[in-house]
Amino acid sequence: MSVRVRIAPSPTGNLHIGTARTAVFNWLYARHHKGTFILRIEDTDRERSKDEYTQNILEGLAWLGIDFDEGPFFQTQRSDRYIATVQKLLDEKKAYFCYCTETELDAMREAQKANKQAPRYDNRHRHLTDEQRQAFEAEGRRPVIRFIIEEPRTIAWNDLVRGTVSWSSSDLGGDMVIARVDDQGKIGLPLYNFAVVVDDIDMQITQVIRGEDHIANTAKQILIYEALGTTPPQFGHTPLILNQQGAKISKRDGATSVWEFRNMGYIPEAFNNYMALLGWSPSDGKELFTIQEASQIFSFDRVNKAGARFDWDKLNWINSQYLHSLPTEDVCDRLTPFLKESGYDLTSVDRQWLLDLTKLIAPSLTLLTDAATISKFFFTDFEDYTDEAKTTLQGEVIAGIITALIDALKETSDLDADSAGEIIKAVTKSQGVKKGVVMKSLRAALTGDLHGPEILPTFVLLHRKGLALPRLQRALAINSNS
């Protein structure tokens, strides 16, 4: 049987990194086995599901380059199939109507808590007579539909990650709700544990790969597969993504949605690479690889059982390695939107100027957003000089250097690396100073700082934008007033 796997996010929020990692693992498994990867949108929670979240999921997967072979399928478009299957279980006495009120259920839980028992439904309405049902309905009670969980019994499966996993049916909380009843007394949309089984049966899913927080659900779902006369798929429960303290990662730990990482300046190739390493490692120990390369060697033998701690430093390093290896034109295309988002006017510069800027700053990039910070002085005038720069620009010697630079620049129409170097050489000789003093003065005058990109290319780029001469003149004025 060919491999068929799926990712099934709920559109109740933006695409989460946990879901993204699950998508990556499913995609890798499908591609490794030349199988089928399916996208299903589990949108039965009508109150919380929103079209904007569905769109975010689709855009996030597209940004990651996680393509799907079938779908997206939407659960809300499959209600007739769910209702018919619920009715089948009712007809076969494998499910029943439960009329317990919230007050009664709360009282049940409080009594269990007082007796130091685990909270569970006590199956009190499993064997109602027709007369009892009619009496409850006469009271105006709206029932739910519960699936019968027989006790005691053991539910076991061979997990792709964890080996043999077993659960006692007594630990599943009693007969579980699989659907509600609407205002007209008809079967409504099902709950998660039921709908997911029907979907996976119909879509012929062969492996269900998801986070370990679904293990208890798996035990319940296996019982539903059995009740529907179907062999369950294989299950693989991947480790949770944890923060540095070992707790499940949350918004308090920083970004958790894929789009937040995109907006922070991470690139999808690096993000995919890091997602794959959150719980899996290639046998050769490589840390940098494309997901296409990973798909050739991916297997669950190398997926860890222990939680995967999110390491920002590692992600940043991987992102920087990718940025440093990309062609200049590619990096330029990727960082340009971030420059625009920062409000920088790109209409005054041509493509070649942007490419030259990219080549200059690319070695310093960790994130694409760094480009806006590093290149700020190319687009906006700095408000003031740093203390170091102010000190550097003081004194008659420095005034002579800056004056000589201004004079030389006025006599130069086009400035390139060679002519810029010649200007530095000539000023060094005419002023009788070391080259380093000239370079340091030039940097302080042009950028207002003593730290930044290589100064000669900076000099050339600023001159081509018409900014070098005014800044040298400004620095001379600062020197005269000091």
Side-chain angles (χ1 to χ4, degrees):
M1 181 182 293
S2 61
V3 163
R4 291 177 61 83
V5 296
R6 48 72 169 178
I7 182 72
S10 174
T12 55
N14 291 327
L15 181 61
H16 189 273
I17 57 171
T19 306
R21 199 275 305 271
T22 299
V24 168
F25 277 14
N26 276 276
W27 187 93
L28 290 173
Y29 191 80
R31 296 295 174 257
H32 180 78
H33 292 279
K34 296 179 172 57
T36 302
F37 178 55
I38 300 167
L39 173 62
R40 185 170 73 225
I41 304 296
E42 298 189 340
D43 58 346
T44 53
D45 187 340
R46 285 177 167 173
E47 290 185 3
R48 297 173 59 219
S49 295
K50 295 182 180 180
D51 290 342
E52 64 192 76
Y53 294 139
T54 298
Q55 189 62 29
N56 180 271
I57 290 167
L58 294 173
E59 290 177 355
L61 291 175
W63 179 73
L64 290 170
I66 303 297
D67 58 319
F68 44 91
D69 306 302
E70 295 180 15
F73 300 106
F74 294 85
Q75 287 187 326
T76 49
Q77 298 174 3
R78 292 173 43 79
S79 57
D80 289 348
R81 169 66 172 143
Y82 303 135
I83 291 169
T85 309
V86 170
Q87 187 61 57
K88 179 177 185 293
L89 292 180
L90 287 168
D91 295 342
E92 295 175 354
K93 308 300 182 186
K94 296 175 182 178
Y96 61 91
F97 291 98
C98 169
Y99 295 85
C100 288
T101 66
E102 282 300 319
T103 301
E104 290 170 341
L105 292 173
D106 287 341
M108 182 192 311
R109 286 188 283 265
E110 286 300 319
Q112 290 164 346
K113 184 178 179 180
N115 293 324
K116 297 183 179 180
Q117 298 172 328
R120 56 176 284 119
Y121 174 64
D122 62 7
N123 306 336
R124 62 180 63 180
H125 285 186
R126 183 188 283 187
H127 300 296
L128 292 179
T129 64
D130 290 341
E131 291 76 12
Q132 288 172 316
R133 286 183 55 194
Q134 291 168 6
F136 284 136
E137 289 176 0
E139 293 178 19
R141 296 193 184 197
R142 187 190 303 178
V144 296
I145 299 169
R146 289 186 182 271
F147 174 78
I148 294 175
I149 296 179
E150 298 292 356
E151 302 176 24
R153 64 158 290 184
T154 298
I155 306 110
W157 68 93
N158 184 30
D159 197 275
L160 292 168
V161 177
R162 299 164 191 283
T164 301
V165 178
S166 61
W167 274 74
S168 169
S169 61
S170 302
D171 295 330
L172 296 179
D175 295 342
M176 67 172 162
V177 178
I178 57 172
R180 304 192 187 281
V181 175
D182 63 22
D183 295 337
Q184 287 74 45
K186 297 180 180 180
I187 299 170
L189 282 174
L191 274 63
Y192 166 76
N193 275 314
F194 183 77
V196 71
V197 171
V198 177
D199 288 339
D200 286 344
I201 291 172
D202 290 353
M203 296 175 189
Q204 299 179 300
I205 300 301
T206 55
Q207 286 82 21
V208 173
I209 302 163
R210 56 192 179 188
E212 67 176 70
D213 48 338
H214 281 284
I215 289 179
N217 287 332
T218 297
K220 296 175 182 178
Q221 290 165 17
I222 285 174
L223 296 178
I224 298 176
Y225 280 106
E226 292 177 356
L228 295 176
T230 304
T231 301
Q234 289 182 290
F235 292 93
H237 292 90
T238 58
L240 295 179
I241 300 177
L242 309 177
N243 62 17
Q244 287 301 302
Q245 289 70 47
K248 187 175 180 180
I249 197 166
S250 69
K251 289 183 178 180
R252 292 188 297 273
D253 301 303
T256 56
S257 77
V258 167
W259 221 238
E260 286 178 288
F261 284 91
R262 179 266 174 203
N263 292 337
M264 290 169 66
Y266 293 97
I267 63 173
E269 299 93 327
F271 194 73
N272 280 335
N273 189 153
Y274 185 64
M275 287 293 100
L277 289 173
L278 278 175
W280 174 79
S281 60
S283 58
D284 60 9
K286 285 180 63 177
E287 292 188 309
L288 297 175
F289 47 78
T290 67
I291 56 171
Q292 288 76 21
E293 291 169 340
S295 71
Q296 301 301 310
I297 57 174
F298 182 82
S299 76
F300 280 98
D301 295 339
R302 303 286 302 179
V303 174
N304 301 323
K305 299 181 180 68
R309 295 193 183 230
F310 196 94
D311 186 338
W312 287 94
D313 290 338
K314 185 68 165 290
L315 173 58
N316 288 341
W317 177 78
I318 290 175
N319 203 71
S320 70
Q321 295 305 299
Y322 274 87
L323 285 176
H324 299 165
S325 67
L326 291 174
T328 299
E329 290 214 359
D330 192 351
V331 179
C332 183
D333 290 339
R334 295 179 192 237
L335 62 80
T336 297
F338 291 93
L339 297 179
K340 291 179 179 178
E341 288 171 12
S342 296
Y344 298 160
D345 180 15
L346 304 187
T347 59
S348 61
V349 296
D350 57 26
R351 173 70 173 177
Q352 188 58 52
W353 190 93
L354 279 175
L355 288 171
D356 291 342
L357 174 66
T358 301
K359 185 177 181 180
L360 174 63
I361 67 175
S364 301
L365 295 178
T366 296
L367 306 172
L368 288 172
T369 45
D370 293 339
T373 303
I374 296 171
S375 65
K376 184 176 181 179
F377 65 84
F378 286 100
F379 297 98
T380 61
D381 207 358
F382 48 88
E383 294 181 3
D384 200 1
Y385 301 87
T386 66
D387 290 341
E388 287 180 312
K390 285 180 181 178
T391 301
T392 297
L393 292 173
Q394 293 174 2
E396 291 184 11
V397 172
I398 304 302
I401 292 173
I402 296 175
T403 300
L405 287 168
I406 291 172
D407 292 341
L409 201 56
K410 286 179 178 179
E411 296 176 2
T412 304
S413 55
D414 296 321
L415 191 68
D416 57 21
D418 290 338
S419 57
E422 289 301 319
I423 288 176
I424 299 300
K425 187 185 298 183
V427 171
T428 298
K429 184 177 181 180
S430 68
Q431 300 304 305
V433 294
K434 293 183 178 179
K435 180 181 177 181
V437 177
V438 177
M439 299 290 275
K440 190 175 181 182
S441 303
L442 180 64
R443 179 182 293 281
L446 295 181
T447 71
D449 201 346
L450 295 187
H451 308 282
E454 190 179 348
I455 190 56
L456 279 185
T458 297
F459 186 19
V460 172
L461 284 169
L462 287 171
H463 177 69
R464 284 162 58 187
K465 205 167 183 285
L467 296 175
L469 187 57
R471 291 190 183 175
L472 286 168
Q473 291 169 334
R474 177 187 177 189
L476 186 59
I478 291 291
N479 178 280
S480 301
N481 295 328
S482 62

